[in-house]
Amino acid sequence: MAIRQLPPNLVNRIAAGEVVERPASVVKELIENAIDAGATRIDIAATGGGLSLIRVVDDGAGMNAQDLVLAAERHATSKLSDDDLTNILTLGFRGEALPSIASVARLNIQSRARGATEAFEVAVEGGRKAPRKPAALNEGTRVEVRDLFYATPARLKFMKTERAETAAITDVVKRLALAQPAIGFSLAVGDTTTLRLEPCPPGLLDHALTRLGRILGQDFVKDALPVHFSRNRITLEGFAGLPTLHRPNTLHHHLVVNGRPVRDKLLTGTIRAAYGDLVPAGRYPMLVLFLTVPPDEVDVNVHPAKTELRFRDPNDIRSILIAAIRAALASAGHRATSSLAQAALQRMAPGNGDQNVQRYIWDDARPATPNGFTDQAQAPHAQLGAPSADMRGHDMSPASEDALYPLGAARAQVSDTFIISETGDSLVIIDQHAAHERLVYERLKRAFTNGGIARQMLLIPEVIELEPGAAQHIAAAAPELERLGLVVEPFGPSAIVVREMPALLGTCAIKPLISDLADEVAAEEGSGLLAKRLDHVLSTMACHGSVRAGRRLTPEEMNGLLRDMETTPFTGQCNHGRPTYVELKLTDIEKLFQRR
């Protein structure tokens, strides 16, 4: 077959396959055009999942009669004044969106230039342009796209349900609204307005959090940590969620580069590295970050949808992101997400959780209660027993000095696992093992960074029997383990002898620790254990060197643990990313008992 030049209409349809993947792609392109036109208000409407109708109305600069005719032509744009692709200051610049949309749908554009007295209209159906004519419109532009993909019916087979396509449109509008807090947005689905956002005053960190709360929810607002970092010509601002506020995917990673929402693998991986072990495996934090870089330092002409970027110095961007996020997280200290308390209270509220428990607590009919509680309730009231050995001599009054601290004063220990403490306005439940594990971990990291982990010699060296392969792994890693305060030597083909232990671990069980460390060493074949898996190894050591569940603590030990948590960063979650405590406000507890 001979090579031939493709006709313009077919070229546009091929381009539409890249730019117009689904209705949400059309919405994205039209909103970006409105933003580039300087709009302060953008109203979006969609019916039939966007396949029947998409309408975008803005109050931007508008177009005169000549520009309106050119707007639907391929590679016609007003956004590259000097033909310099290294200095792109707008969201769009290719000049492909409108002709691509017009080639597969019925497109109608009405526009009135700012300061003009007349408005004009152009219609294009399946790539065929009708003559320009007058229209009635205020300053700005109104774009309607009807019967999307009517000219390429095969594409309709690949569309999802109306609900799914509407959800994709909503997501696009929310992401662009997050990226442009100074612009007002509204979205109508059918006859219902599902989203309305007023413009935010200038000042991202001061005013944009209100909009973020409307889109991401109030949990994010309560747990958002301000981020601000500047170096050279690069600025990073925004909000990072507490590590205990996480989701099962990266949909709540909102990254904005020079006003453009992006999904970039480099940035997503960097966020994960910044949070590190503060978030559980398979979970992802919530955050909104605005990165401003000089236009010549970033290439946005990488992907037709312009959602991927290429940075001139990706290592510099990565270091800025990690430094800024870690600084914000460190400022949070021991804080944990407030949504944990709400989730716990909801499980205890009527209609949730164990129905037997709910009936016992709430049902006025007082049915037979489980576990023999009825017989106990009918028995004569006995005197309260003496305080347990845990609490003898402890000041139980609410006004005790410890109650003034953020995590309050220890009041009891439950199942030798959970500490119950009281503040001036809340009850705090602490997982003693998870909390102490994080404390030991942070101490180990700090000691290693500051010159080495102190060691203590065992009075009697301990011989540990292992699988032959595991013993060899430990023996091979002995020089690196010694830097972590653990001195071991080979002892035959399937054993090692432990002579010194990190002093921070106290009297922990040595064999389980060595067995777990053998797995860590095996996971990193060859040398480089400390360079590649330092955090994992220290976390394993901390887990074995911390207070175990089931150990009874004295009041002094419990309060000492709480005070250490308050002064050590990241103690709101353990080494595996799980929360270390839940704080229940007394007002919420009173509501559970219908006292409010």
Side-chain angles (χ1 to χ4, degrees), residues 450-473:
N450 292 336
I453 297 174
R455 305 194 299 257
Q456 62 180 7
M457 183 177 295
L458 298 182
L459 186 62
I460 301 177
E462 186 162 341
V463 177
I464 306 296
E465 293 286 342
L466 299 168
E467 296 291 329
Q472 293 172 11
H473 285 309

Side-chain angles (χ1 to χ4, degrees), residues 16 63 87 99 113-114 161 183 187 194 209 215 218 255 257 288 316 321 339 409 411 431 437 444 456 473 545 563 586:
M63 293 175 281
N87 190 38
R114 191 167 291 159
T161 64
I183 300 176
L187 172 63
T194 59
L209 194 56
I215 295 175
Q218 289 304 306
L255 307 171
V257 179
V288 182
D316 191 34
L321 278 171
S339 61
R411 298 304 189 201
D431 183 332
E437 182 181 17
L444 287 171
Q456 62 180 7
H473 285 309
R563 301 295 80 81
L586 295 180

Side-chain angles (χ1 to χ4, degrees), residues 441-454:
Y441 178 48
E442 293 299 327
R443 290 167 183 165
L444 287 171
K445 287 197 298 183
R446 187 165 56 250
F448 182 81
T449 302
N450 292 336
I453 297 174

Side-chain angles (χ1 to χ4, degrees), residues 236-496:
L236 180 69
E237 288 186 298
F239 298 91
L242 287 172
T244 43
L245 181 68
H246 45 68
R247 297 293 182 264
N249 50 49
T250 60
L251 292 179
H252 290 83
H253 284 184
H254 293 275
L255 307 171
V256 181
V257 179
N258 291 354
R260 184 190 310 276
V262 298
R263 293 179 182 273
D264 186 86
K265 292 181 180 179
L266 166 69
L267 300 181
T268 300
T270 300
I271 290 168
R272 182 71 207 188
Y275 275 82
D277 54 25
L278 301 178
V279 175
R283 305 288 293 186
Y284 302 89
M286 297 178 66
L287 76 172
V288 182
L289 297 177
F290 297 79
L291 182 65
T292 303
V293 302
D296 59 348
E297 292 290 329
V298 59
D299 183 4
V300 298
N301 192 24
V302 176
H303 188 275
K306 304 181 291 293
T307 57
E308 298 179 9
L309 304 172
R310 184 178 293 119
F311 294 99
R312 176 172 293 182
D313 189 350
N315 289 332
D316 191 34
I317 300 297
R318 178 180 171 86
S319 67
I320 287 174
L321 278 171
I322 291 177
I325 293 173
R326 287 185 175 173
L329 296 178
S331 70
H334 68 278
R335 278 182 59 190
T337 177
S338 59
S339 61
L340 294 172
Q342 293 304 315
L345 290 166
Q346 287 172 8
R347 290 178 66 88
M348 292 185 281
N352 297 320
D354 187 346
Q355 295 303 309
N356 288 330
V357 173
Q358 296 305 324
R359 283 200 304 269
Y360 175 60
I361 296 176
W362 297 103
D363 194 340
D364 290 338
R366 299 183 65 182
T369 51
N371 301 325
F373 284 173
T374 301
D375 295 337
Q376 296 180 24
Q378 293 174 348
H381 289 182
Q383 293 185 351
L384 291 175
S388 68
D390 299 27
M391 304 307 297
R392 288 194 185 101
H394 186 56
D395 182 3
M396 299 290 287
S397 65
S400 65
E401 184 177 345
D402 284 326
L404 302 177
Y405 287 97
L407 292 178
R411 298 304 189 201
Q413 186 182 25
V414 178
S415 298
D416 293 340
T417 300
F418 301 101
I419 299 170
I420 308 298
S421 72
E422 181 184 11
T423 72
D425 63 352
S426 65
L427 193 71
V428 186
I429 306 172
I430 302 98
D431 183 332
Q432 66 188 40
H433 171 68
H436 194 240
E437 182 181 17
R438 170 57 71 174
L439 289 172
V440 174
Y441 178 48
E442 293 299 327
R443 290 167 183 165
L444 287 171
K445 287 197 298 183
R446 187 165 56 250
F448 182 81
T449 302
N450 292 336
I453 297 174
R455 305 194 299 257
Q456 62 180 7
M457 183 177 295
L458 298 182
L459 186 62
I460 301 177
E462 186 162 341
V463 177
I464 306 296
E465 293 286 342
L466 299 168
E467 296 291 329
Q472 293 172 11
H473 285 309
I474 290 291
E480 293 182 283
L481 292 176
E482 185 172 349
R483 293 180 58 195
L484 300 178
L486 184 64
V487 178
V488 299
E489 298 174 1
F491 194 79
S494 60
I496 59 109

Side-chain angles (χ1 to χ4, degrees), residues 100-136:
S100 296
I101 295 168
S103 69
V104 295
R106 294 183 171 91
L107 174 68
N108 181 277
I109 311 174
Q110 297 178 348
S111 191
R112 176 178 168 183
R114 191 167 291 159
T117 58
E118 295 180 298
F120 297 92
E121 174 181 346
V122 166
V124 188
E125 291 193 9
R128 295 182 297 275
K129 187 189 299 182
R132 183 188 69 207
K133 61 182 181 180

